[in-house]
Amino acid sequence: GLHSGPDISTPAAAALAGLPLRQTRGLFSELTCAHLLTEHAPGRYTRHDLLRVYAAERVFTEETPQERDRAVQRLLAWYLHTADAAYPFLTPHRRRVPLAPLPVSCHPLTFGAHDQALDWCESERPNLVAAVRQAAAAGRPDLTWQLTAALWGFFYLRGHLHDWLDTARTSLCATRDAHDRTGEAWSLDDLACALTQMHRYDEAIDHFRQAMALSRQLGYAYGRRQALVNLGYTHRLVGRPDEAVEYYRRALAVSRTLGDPSDEGSILTNLGDAYEQLARFGDAISYLEKALSVLRAHGDRWAEGIALDILGTVHRRLQRHDDAVAYYHQALDTHTGIGSRWGQARTLGNLGDAHLATGNPDAARANWEKALAILEKVDHPDAEEIRGRLRRLEKLPPDARPDPTVGREAPTLP
């Protein structure tokens, strides 16, 4: 009755009850045999809404407030620490969230591979969103913002923008109410990233500036670096690449004080993207090739895929279409390998542009349709951009071979 999500796994239930996993399985078997639970997938259980209400009534009648609080804390800590265990597989070169020690009798899952971590996040997504809300309602702003921050890579990779926006807003409200300044800085960045992906750029820029100012007050250099990079990203998206370059250069200076070469590689990627928008193609290629060298040396596949995509766009704008297609295919393979839906969709869109420019509208249509299917699945705002390309394609005469500029942007690191 204390679990707020739509279903529950056996390990999560064990954490909630503070029991060994084997004993929990036995109890779940009894409840299932009594038709009080339904095992709708292996190891995952749900119950009728009336039983949900009844269970909640009983737990508030039969358990003390202290025991209820301990149970909820164990559950929320289990979700948080398991999400944190998945985090380095999804965003291996991004700084992890600082966490408090685990409660007694709480044993989070561990992962051995990227796909395993991604699958867990996907299967638990409704419960993770519910856990963020439950943490806020339970008066635990620390667990609220930490869980939201631990889900950053998952939300970005899979394009679950509405969940991202919901959890980030919940976190920001909780941290501000509790005067948790560190949590507020993280939450401002999370919320601004979600707003950026939803094309709400003015709101995003305002929140990034707040995050930068607060990080400066706290002496939090990494937070400043994040805000500067993200401000560069949003300024590039709204057509102000000169300002983007300045933000990226400031971010690069901060990053070098932190001594993280992989982090420097991602900023070089963003600089290359801004120079591509400025039509300074020689500078763009130079920065992107330097970025690839750094990123590959540190195994940063996430940023590598983005750099490859941007290189494809640079070569397409230089009318080197064979090179562009080759780079786009490399980028697509990389995005697919890390499960980045949005990266796949953006590269497929750009690949369609390259095929149209070489007089192959059928290949362009096929790639845009694949991109649209990915974006529509998660209700991503970029879907309308792809629909526009498909509509324009239908109006073209058979012998038309334009090089489209609408939607030419490659995905860059937020």
Side-chain angles (χ1 to χ4, degrees):
L2 294 174
H3 187 265
S4 59
D7 71 349
I8 191 167
S9 69
T10 311
L16 177 65
L19 294 173
L21 187 59
R22 184 173 182 178
Q23 184 178 353
T24 305
R25 287 195 183 103
L27 293 169
F28 266 18
S29 179
E30 291 182 34
L31 291 167
T32 303
C33 290
H35 305 291
L36 296 174
L37 290 178
T38 300
E39 188 176 12
H40 71 96
R44 304 195 68 85
Y45 297 83
T46 188
R47 73 272 199 200
H48 192 279
D49 287 346
L50 291 176
L51 286 172
R52 180 191 295 268
V53 173
Y54 175 73
E57 290 175 350
R58 300 315 305 159
V59 77
F60 276 91
T61 301
E62 298 177 6
E63 303 291 346
T64 66
Q66 294 79 11
E67 179 52 33
R68 293 198 302 268
D69 288 345
R70 284 193 293 268
V72 170
Q73 301 311 319
R74 286 194 301 266
L75 176 70
L76 295 176
W78 184 87
Y79 279 123
L80 172 59
H81 282 265
T82 304
D84 179 66
Y87 191 80
F89 289 94
L90 307 184
T91 53
H93 297 280
R94 187 178 169 89
R95 184 166 296 192
R96 292 173 77 169
V97 183
L99 303 182
L102 275 167
V104 178
S105 302
C106 181
H107 305 286
L109 300 180
T110 58
F111 303 100
H114 173 275
D115 289 349
Q116 187 183 19
L118 189 60
D119 289 345
W120 179 82
C121 290
E122 201 68 74
S123 64
E124 291 285 358
R125 178 166 62 94
N127 292 320
L128 290 165
V129 173
V132 170
R133 298 194 195 110
Q134 189 170 10
R140 290 299 303 270
D142 53 337
L143 297 178
T144 308
W145 75 260
Q146 289 167 0
L147 182 52
T148 298
L151 294 171
W152 186 98
F154 168 62
F155 286 148
Y156 184 92
L157 283 172
R158 307 304 280 175
H160 297 302
L161 302 187
H162 297 288
D163 287 341
W164 196 358
L165 189 67
D166 177 25
T167 54
R169 278 179 168 162
T170 300
S171 297
L172 184 58
C173 289
T175 54
R176 282 179 166 169
D177 288 346
H179 305 289
D180 180 348
R181 302 282 277 168
T182 299
E184 183 181 351
W186 280 76
S187 299
L188 281 165
D189 187 77
D190 278 328
L191 179 55
C193 285
L195 288 167
T196 300
Q197 295 304 303
M198 299 187 83
H199 299 183
R200 294 163 61 172
Y201 301 126
D202 289 342
E203 294 173 78
I205 288 171
D206 177 59
H207 284 79
F208 282 135
R209 284 176 173 159
Q210 292 180 56
M212 182 172 64
L214 183 52
S215 295
R216 184 184 294 112
Q217 292 172 22
L218 296 172
Y220 179 38
Y222 183 78
R224 280 185 60 216
R225 176 266 174 205
Q226 290 292 96
L228 286 165
V229 170
N230 287 319
L231 281 166
Y233 177 63
T234 47
H235 279 80
R236 189 195 65 75
L237 289 175
V238 297
R240 300 203 289 269
D242 285 318
E243 293 179 60
V245 168
E246 290 307 308
Y247 279 118
Y248 290 145
R249 289 191 176 281
R250 290 169 61 187
L252 191 60
V254 176
S255 178
R256 285 171 173 163
T257 67
L258 296 171
D260 186 346
S262 177
D263 182 60
E264 185 174 324
S266 69
I267 299 174
L268 291 171
T269 300
N270 282 293
L271 273 167
D273 190 44
Y275 283 125
E276 181 273 320
Q277 191 172 12
L278 287 165
R280 292 172 56 178
F281 301 126
D283 289 331
I285 290 172
S286 176
Y287 276 104
L288 290 165
E289 288 179 345
K290 289 177 185 176
L292 279 176
S293 178
V294 173
L295 298 169
R296 285 170 172 165
H298 293 84
D300 190 342
R301 297 279 286 165
W302 181 313
E304 180 185 345
I306 292 169
L308 288 165
D309 188 288
I310 301 166
L311 273 168
T313 299
V314 172
H315 284 281
R316 179 170 60 80
R317 295 190 69 196
L318 289 169
Q319 306 296 311
R320 302 170 184 168
H321 297 296
D322 289 343
D323 290 335
V325 169
Y327 277 119
Y328 287 144
H329 277 295
Q330 291 180 58
L332 190 58
D333 289 343
T334 307
H335 292 317
T336 303
I338 64 169
S340 176
R341 284 178 178 165
W342 185 66
Q344 292 173 60
R346 296 296 288 179
T347 297
L348 285 165
N350 289 330
L351 187 56
D353 291 350
H355 283 304
L356 186 59
T358 57
N360 193 343
D362 290 338
R365 182 185 296 106
N367 281 284
W368 290 339
E369 287 175 347
K370 289 177 185 177
L372 185 60
I374 293 171
L375 295 168
E376 285 183 335
K377 189 172 183 179
V378 293
D379 192 25
H380 199 289
D382 284 359
E384 184 53 38
E385 181 181 308
I386 300 297
R387 292 189 196 101
R389 296 189 209 187
L390 287 166
R391 286 194 295 267
R392 289 190 292 275
L393 181 63
E394 296 306 314
K395 297 177 181 178
L396 291 176
D399 58 346
R401 296 178 55 178
D403 185 2
T405 57
V406 176
R408 54 143 211 94
E409 294 91 346
T412 52
L413 288 174

